[in-house]
Amino acid sequence: MERERNRALSEEAAIARAVAMEISMKDIGGVFSTASTLQAKYGSDTLKIYLLYNNRPMAGAVLPDTGNIDQLIQIDGRATLLDGENQLFLIAHRLSDEILLVVTSSVQPVYARKKDLFCLSAIVSAIGAFVSALVAVILSGAVLRPLSDLTRAAEKMALGQYDAALPAIRKDETGILTKAFSHMKNAVLKREEKILAQSEGRQELINALSHEMRSPLTAVRGLIEPLRDGMVTNEDTKKRYYDIILRE
């Protein structure tokens, strides 16, 4: 906007010098005649030129419908006004006590560029947000999926299921964690197998001892029952039975 303002001020200064030279040697009729040709000489589609006599437009010109135009044309010297609603930059330049030059320059291209930049910024922001969201989803899936698999494997191990599948070992932090978890699973499995083997060995020992204990007791019982029931009356036989019982 500042560049457009400086450009309009530069153009207006050149026009003001040219107009001042044209009307300097003319009477009021000549001034009116000059006013009717200013737009064709110096103006354009975006630059409008008005000449005012005693603050009234000359040659049937109509000033832009701007709220502060009345204040602008009352100035002594030079003043500017930016009309954002109509997208105009106005310059009032008093050439004499009666003559006032007013130049309006359209700043619509500036507003259009600002609008385009705003739209472009909004589009870029939307694309950036979409890309960021997409990257976040991809990264979260890449990180959270292996962690979820490890969590399920840990839950199965807690139930004694050591065949749970583990995620593939990758070259990142989750891969290091997966590798450590795999070592832990194998160590626990070996320990479980060792404990099971020891338990089975102890059970076999207990069964063997029980069998060995039952055999002598059966023999002793077979000797005591006849003695108890009075079936053995011979003293030598009784003594022999007692010797056998003591040996067992």
Side-chain angles (χ1 to χ4, degrees):
M1 182 63 74
E2 186 64 23
R3 184 172 61 184
E4 291 296 322
R5 179 179 182 276
N6 292 334
R7 182 189 60 78
L9 287 172
S10 178
E11 289 181 346
E12 185 278 331
I15 293 171
R17 287 193 297 269
V19 172
M21 290 179 62
E22 284 194 41
I23 67 175
S24 61
M25 302 300 293
K26 294 181 178 180
D27 56 15
I28 189 62
V31 173
F32 270 86
S33 176
T34 299
S36 63
T37 62
L38 289 180
Q39 181 63 36
K41 287 182 178 179
Y42 308 112
S44 66
D45 291 339
T46 59
L47 189 71
K48 304 298 182 182
I49 303 171
Y50 307 89
L51 204 61
L52 281 70
Y53 181 76
N54 290 331
N55 295 336
R56 293 181 179 277
M58 303 173 70
V62 179
L63 291 174
D65 184 14
T66 302
N68 294 325
I69 189 68
D70 293 336
Q71 297 179 9
L72 184 68
I73 63 178
Q74 299 297 328
I75 59 95
D76 291 326
R78 194 184 195 196
T80 60
L81 173 68
L82 178 63
D83 180 8
E85 182 178 355
N86 295 313
Q87 299 179 358
L88 290 175
F89 182 66
L90 295 89
I91 306 170
H93 193 159
R94 188 163 294 281
L95 303 180
S96 67
D97 291 340
E98 296 86 7
I99 305 299
L100 178 69
L101 175 69
V102 175
V103 176
T104 66
S105 178
S106 174
V107 290
Q108 185 176 4
V110 178
Y111 281 89
R113 285 196 297 270
K114 289 177 64 176
K115 183 178 180 181
D116 291 342
L117 288 174
F118 177 79
C119 293
L120 180 61
S121 176
I123 293 172
V124 171
S125 298
I127 293 175
F130 173 76
V131 172
S132 298
L134 182 61
V135 171
V137 170
I138 293 174
L139 291 179
S140 63
V143 173
L144 295 179
R145 190 176 298 110
L147 294 179
S148 299
D149 293 341
L150 286 176
T151 301
R152 286 192 293 270
E155 292 173 349
K156 289 184 177 181
M157 283 183 62
L159 299 175
Q161 302 175 12
Y162 299 102
D163 58 345
L166 297 179
I169 297 178
R170 306 185 308 181
K171 295 181 180 180
D172 56 11
E173 287 76 6
T174 56
I176 295 173
L177 181 60
T178 301
K179 188 174 181 180
F181 192 91
S182 178
H183 290 329
M184 181 189 70
K185 185 185 79 168
N186 293 334
V188 172
L189 182 58
K190 289 180 180 178
R191 184 174 178 83
E192 284 281 325
E193 291 175 350
K194 184 177 180 181
I195 292 173
L196 180 61
Q198 291 176 349
S199 177
E200 291 176 351
R202 284 195 297 269
Q203 187 61 44
E204 290 177 358
L205 178 60
I206 292 172
N207 293 338
L209 291 175
S210 299
H211 177 72
E212 293 295 330
M213 291 178 65
R214 283 196 298 271
S215 296
L217 289 175
T218 301
V220 170
R221 183 176 182 180
L223 296 174
I224 291 176
E225 287 180 351
L227 293 172
R228 182 197 63 187
D229 296 338
M231 296 173 62
V232 180
T233 58
N234 186 279
E235 293 299 327
D236 292 335
T237 303
K238 287 182 180 181
K239 184 179 179 182
R240 184 164 55 83
Y241 277 20
Y242 289 140
D243 290 339
I244 294 173
I245 291 172
L246 290 174
R247 285 199 302 270
E248 292 296 335

